[in-house]
């Protein structure tokens, strides 16, 4: 149903080659709070006129914190969905079940890495930054949709991780970001590259067993989950504003808050929603699944941009 050149055996082999341990990423280092964490293309703080350079760096670090926190949060729904799907393949293709179990194990490891980062950030930043949750409730809300809707969302997330790293971080020495934070992004990207392929195979398999109207339901569910995530991102912006005020030690005026809110809403939406919806590989898969669904998602991406 979907055009791609992926298979479980080759993907498993690659994932075993690039597989890493938490110690390979951290190497005994701590975060350097004199540096920015997130590339500007993702943080979107430089255009904010009401903050000085030091305050922009503080907001960048808050955004670095929420970036990895939100990935950890999202992966808490991905993990049970992949385990469940792997369970349906146990009496089938050996490479398929092994690749899927490996996928699940890597997501569990990523969750553990992001939790380590969240604790490390909270230890060094000096302000207890608020974050949306709890992860279990958000995961339950996402998983309360059709399997196709859930795995389309995962496909969107896996591809946007690729885009973020390749376009914003890789070979980008000019921004002089914290090396430990960049190491986290790089190691995550390395394994996510295989997840994007496996997710394409999963979506292909799920959709191949569905009638066209059930595929439309899957696209509807994917869009519903997107709206749910958009609500979460809007709530996160408000928490970030409170964290920022506390960290810079001054109360922002209503106009200043409006400016930051506007810029950050745009930055979050671009990074987490539009980047996935418009990723060429995701876009192609969606178009092949449903021309009508593809059009509806393109309209949603336009409205969010
Ligand atoms: Fe991950
Ligand atoms: Fe992943």
């Amino acid at each position: 149903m979907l055009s791609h050149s992926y298979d479980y055996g080759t993907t498993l082999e690659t994932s075993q080659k690039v597989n890493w341990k938490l110690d390979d990423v951290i190497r005994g280092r701590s975060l350097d709070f004199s540096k920015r964490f997130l590339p500007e293309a993702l943080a979107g703080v430089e255009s904010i006129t009401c903050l000085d350079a030091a305050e922009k760096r503080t907001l960048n670090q808050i955004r670095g914190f929420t970036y990895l926190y939100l990935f950890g949060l999202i992966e808490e729904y991905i993990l049970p969905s992949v385990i469940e799907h792997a369970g349906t393949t146990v009496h089938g293709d050996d490479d398929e079940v092994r690749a899927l179990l490996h996928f699940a194990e890597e997501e569990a490891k990523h969750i553990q890495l992001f939790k380590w980062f969240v604790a490390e950030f909270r230890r060094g930043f000096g302000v207890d930054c608020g974050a949306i949750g709890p992860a279990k409730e958000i995961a339950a809300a996402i998983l309360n949709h059709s399997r196709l809707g859930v795995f389309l969302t995962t496909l969107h997330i896996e591809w946007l991780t690729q885009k973020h790293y390749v376009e914003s971080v890789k070979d980008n020495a000019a921004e002089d970001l914290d090396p430990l934070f960049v190491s986290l992004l790089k190691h995550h990207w390395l394994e996510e590259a295989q997840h994007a392929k496996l997710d394409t195979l999963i979506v292909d398999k799920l959709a191949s067993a569905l009638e066209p109207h059930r595929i439309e339901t899957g696209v509807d569910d994917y869009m519903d989950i997107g709206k749910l995530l958009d609500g979460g991102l809007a709530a996160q912006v408000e928490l970030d504003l409170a964290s920022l005020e506390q960290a810079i030690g001054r109360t922002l005026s209503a106009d200043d808050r409006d400016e930051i809110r506007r810029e950050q809403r745009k930055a979050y939406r671009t990074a987490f929603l539009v980047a996935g919806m418009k990723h060429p590989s995701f876009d192609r898969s969606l178009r092949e699944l449903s021309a009508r669904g593809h059009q509806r998602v393109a309209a949603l991406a336009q409205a969010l941009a």
Side-chain angles (χ1 to χ4, degrees):
M1 195 164 194
L2 300 184
S3 58
H4 60 77
S5 54
Y6 315 137
D7 66 82
Y8 289 104
T10 313
T11 309
L12 175 63
E13 216 171 287
T14 310
S15 67
Q16 286 167 333
K17 273 187 207 147
V18 302
N19 192 257
W20 42 261
K21 295 188 181 73
L22 259 55
D23 284 348
D24 301 329
V25 185
I26 301 165
R27 291 194 278 121
R29 290 175 291 182
S30 298
L31 292 166
D32 179 353
F33 286 92
S34 72
K35 292 189 184 298
R36 288 176 298 151
F37 292 169
L38 204 59
E40 170 58 16
L42 301 175
V45 304
E46 292 303 322
S47 56
I48 297 171
T49 59
C50 67
L51 299 176
D52 66 26
E55 291 171 338
K56 284 177 186 172
R57 188 184 63 195
T58 300
L59 181 56
N60 178 293
Q61 291 173 351
I62 293 170
R63 287 297 313 284
F65 160 71
T66 67
Y67 183 81
L68 291 188
Y69 172 85
L70 291 173
F71 263 106
L73 186 85
I74 284 166
E75 295 194 346
E76 292 211 31
Y77 96 76
I78 296 179
L79 178 59
S81 67
V82 174
I83 291 172
E84 185 198 79
H85 183 72
T88 68
T89 69
V90 284
H91 302 298
D93 178 68
D94 295 332
D95 282 338
E96 181 179 9
V97 69
R98 288 186 62 204
L100 294 175
L101 290 172
H102 195 83
F103 177 2
E105 196 279 331
E106 285 181 346
E107 294 296 31
K109 181 178 66 181
H110 297 172
I111 291 169
Q112 194 178 9
L113 176 66
F114 297 148
K115 281 182 181 166
W116 174 87
F117 164 78
V118 164
E120 166 72 10
F121 181 88
R122 288 198 157 130
R123 194 176 60 77
F125 189 64
V127 165
D128 190 13
C129 296
I132 58 168
K136 204 174 164 186
E137 276 177 26
I138 293 176
I142 293 173
L143 291 169
N144 194 26
H145 291 83
S146 64
R147 294 301 89 182
L148 182 60
V150 168
F151 277 101
L152 275 172
T153 306
T154 307
L155 188 64
H156 162 130
I157 292 161
E158 311 289 17
W159 282 124
L160 77 79
T161 311
Q162 298 302 294
K163 182 181 164 71
H164 286 179
Y165 188 77
V166 173
E167 291 183 6
S168 315
V169 192
K170 197 180 181 209
D171 306 325
N172 185 1
E175 290 204 60
D176 191 29
L177 303 171
D178 170 53
L180 174 55
F181 193 86
V182 171
S183 171
L184 264 80
L185 295 177
K186 181 184 174 188
H187 285 85
H188 191 229
W189 162 73
L190 273 174
E191 293 187 343
E192 291 295 322
Q194 279 60 250
H195 298 184
K197 295 173 190 171
L198 292 173
D199 261 309
T200 306
L201 289 161
I202 295 170
V203 167
D204 196 15
K205 188 177 186 181
L206 290 174
S208 297
L210 296 177
E211 298 289 327
H213 74 278
R214 299 274 307 279
I215 291 178
E216 294 306 322
T217 305
V219 177
D220 285 342
D221 284 347
Y222 159 72
M223 290 169 71
D224 278 352
I225 296 169
K227 288 171 194 161
L228 194 143
L229 293 175
D230 191 43
L233 297 177
Q236 187 59 57
V237 170
E238 299 306 313
L239 292 167
D240 291 358
L241 276 166
S243 304
L244 178 66
E245 282 189 328
Q246 216 185 324
I248 64 178
R250 71 180 175 97
T251 306
L252 297 159
S253 70
D255 283 351
D256 290 352
R257 289 177 67 90
D258 281 348
E259 186 199 6
I260 298 170
R261 184 179 290 116
R262 193 175 55 245
E263 294 298 316
Q264 286 298 294
R265 282 285 282 141
K266 193 168 71 181
Y268 269 108
R269 276 181 159 172
T270 303
F272 286 99
L273 298 173
V274 179
M277 289 171 178
K278 288 190 167 176
H279 190 285
S281 301
F282 181 82
D283 185 79
R284 187 185 60 230
S285 292
L286 192 62
R287 194 177 327 114
E288 289 172 352
L289 280 183
S290 155
R292 206 162 65 85
H294 176 259
Q295 276 175 2
R296 285 185 294 140
V297 172
L300 179 61
Q302 195 73 32
L304 291 172

